[in-house]
Every structure is written in structure tokens, then in C-alpha cells.
Amino acid sequence: MSCMAQPRTIVCLGDSITRGTWSADWVGRLSRDWGDRGYRFVNAGGDGHLAWNALRRLDHAIGANPDFVTVLLGTNDVNATSHPEVTRWYMRRARLPREPSRAWYRENMEQILMRLAAETSARVGLLSLPLLGEDLEDPANRRMEEYSGDLRDLAREHGAAYLPLHERMREYLAAHPVAMLRRRRLGFGPVLRARLRHSILRQSWDDVGR
């Protein structure tokens, strides 16, 4: 590549999983691995954000003039429907104008795709949703699968790429079953403890995960 060539911009739109302050910073890793190969990565993740929040701040992603956009949104949309108390927390924390639902999630994701198509020339990739815990039969993971099906449909309808993160994680866990599954608990205690172990005790995310 010529030293005069402009880098190709990849905007990574998402929630805290993309932002990488409460978990491994995969966008930062891509930037380190691919930054000297002609790519510039823009981290457009937001902690605790639902698809509606990402839609409201989409001007930032569009303003980066991206060549590619990856979209990883929906974990909080699923979490927010898990229990009335959790729903109320999300509505306060994310300042939502209405109660989260699968239909509203799909509506907001479609609006994101439509704006990206109308206001950029970027190639868009929708990532299916990661698992919540290692129990494939957990109701939350069944909802993740359902929401991912909506993403697959939207990708096909709007000419976006579908990136099967959910499916790859399922395949991996099916091939590497966990000896003893621990029941996933509602709330944010495990997340806070993991963050403290990483930031205070300086444990790697791999160690925290194990």
C-alpha cells in the first residue's frame, strides 16, 4: 500500500461489549493488529446502551465517513426484558421513552440500517448476539437466538452482511461442554466483580473468564 493512501475506516457500533471498558477491548485489539495495514478503527460503543440509544447517537458513526460499519447491539435489549425490576433499571439508566420489547428492538435496528444506507456508502455487517452464560438452554440464550434471527432477516432485507457470532459461540460450547454449569444470576453483581478483579487485582480478562 502506498504511504499516501488514506486508511479505510471501520466504525464499530455497539454497547459495552464493543466499548471494551467492562470487558476485553476487541476493537482496540483489531486496531493494534490491523492499524498498520491500512485500516482505522473507530470505537462507537456505549455502556449500557440499547439499540434505541445507538440510533440516537448515530451521527457520530456517520460523521466518521466509514467504509465499513459493524453493528453489535441487542444484549441490553434482551437483558432489559428479563425481569420487571431489570426493565425499570434500564428505563432509568438508558432514559428509554418506552418499555423495551423485541418489536421495538427490531424497529430501531431497521432505522439504523436505513440511515447508514442513506447517509453513508459503507458496507454494513450485523453481528448476531453473544450468549449470556454457558447454559445453551437458558431462557435468555433462547431469546438471544430469537433476536439474532431478526438480525438475520434484517441483514437479508437491507443488503447487509450477517456475521454469525451467536452461532459460532453455540458451536464452540456444544463441542466443548462445561463440566458444571452455574446458574446465571440476574443483576450486575458478577459484572462489577469481574471489573474489580481486572482493574484492581490486575487479573487478565482470560483469568477472570476462567
Side-chain angles (χ1 to χ4, degrees):
M1 171 174 281
S2 168
C3 62
M4 299 299 293
Q6 291 296 315
R8 307 185 79 181
T9 298
I10 302 175
V11 170
C12 301
L13 181 66
D15 51 32
S16 61
I17 296 173
T18 297
R19 188 171 184 184
T21 55
W22 290 82
S23 59
D25 181 10
W26 61 270
V27 179
R29 180 170 180 175
L30 285 174
S31 183
R32 290 190 297 273
D33 290 348
W34 289 83
D36 60 354
R37 305 186 196 184
Y39 293 93
R40 178 176 75 97
F41 290 85
V42 176
N43 191 322
D47 291 343
H49 282 192
L50 285 73
W52 179 80
N53 302 103
L55 176 61
R56 286 172 62 86
R57 58 181 174 81
L58 197 57
D59 285 348
H60 170 63
I62 292 172
N65 193 27
D67 297 286
F68 304 94
V69 179
T70 65
V71 184
L72 178 52
L73 288 163
T75 297
N76 291 308
D77 292 83
V78 173
N79 264 333
T81 64
S82 61
H83 187 275
E85 184 177 336
V86 178
T87 299
R88 289 191 291 272
W89 185 90
Y90 269 104
M91 292 190 71
R92 292 192 303 270
R93 168 66 172 76
R95 300 181 179 179
L96 305 179
R98 54 182 283 189
E99 190 168 305
S101 69
R102 181 178 168 186
W104 191 43
Y105 168 73
R106 179 173 178 135
E107 176 185 325
N108 286 315
M109 291 299 295
E110 185 161 36
Q111 288 295 316
I112 288 172
L113 287 172
M114 292 172 64
R115 280 201 61 191
L116 289 174
E119 301 177 48
T120 77
S121 59
R123 180 78 166 115
V124 179
L126 290 183
L127 285 89
S128 55
L129 304 185
L131 295 169
L132 288 175
E134 298 163 329
D135 184 356
L136 298 179
E137 302 305 318
D138 188 296
N141 284 330
R142 289 301 179 191
R143 292 200 302 276
M144 288 290 197
E145 191 172 27
E146 293 168 354
Y147 279 54
S148 294
D150 292 335
L151 293 174
R152 189 185 307 109
D153 293 342
L154 288 171
R156 182 175 59 250
E157 293 166 10
H158 292 271
Y162 178 75
L163 308 178
L165 172 62
H166 181 93
E167 293 82 351
R168 295 294 181 266
M169 292 180 76
R170 277 190 171 273
E171 291 170 5
Y172 181 86
L173 283 176
H176 302 82
V178 179
M180 183 179 67
L181 291 173
R182 284 180 289 186
R183 187 175 181 181
R184 188 178 64 87
R185 289 168 290 174
L186 292 174
F188 300 95
V191 176
L192 293 173
R193 284 193 291 274
R195 177 62 176 159
L196 289 173
R197 289 176 62 181
H198 179 69
S199 60
I200 303 299
L201 300 181
R202 301 298 182 185
Q203 296 179 354
S204 72
W205 285 119
D206 285 339
D207 288 338
V208 173
R210 280 188 287 270

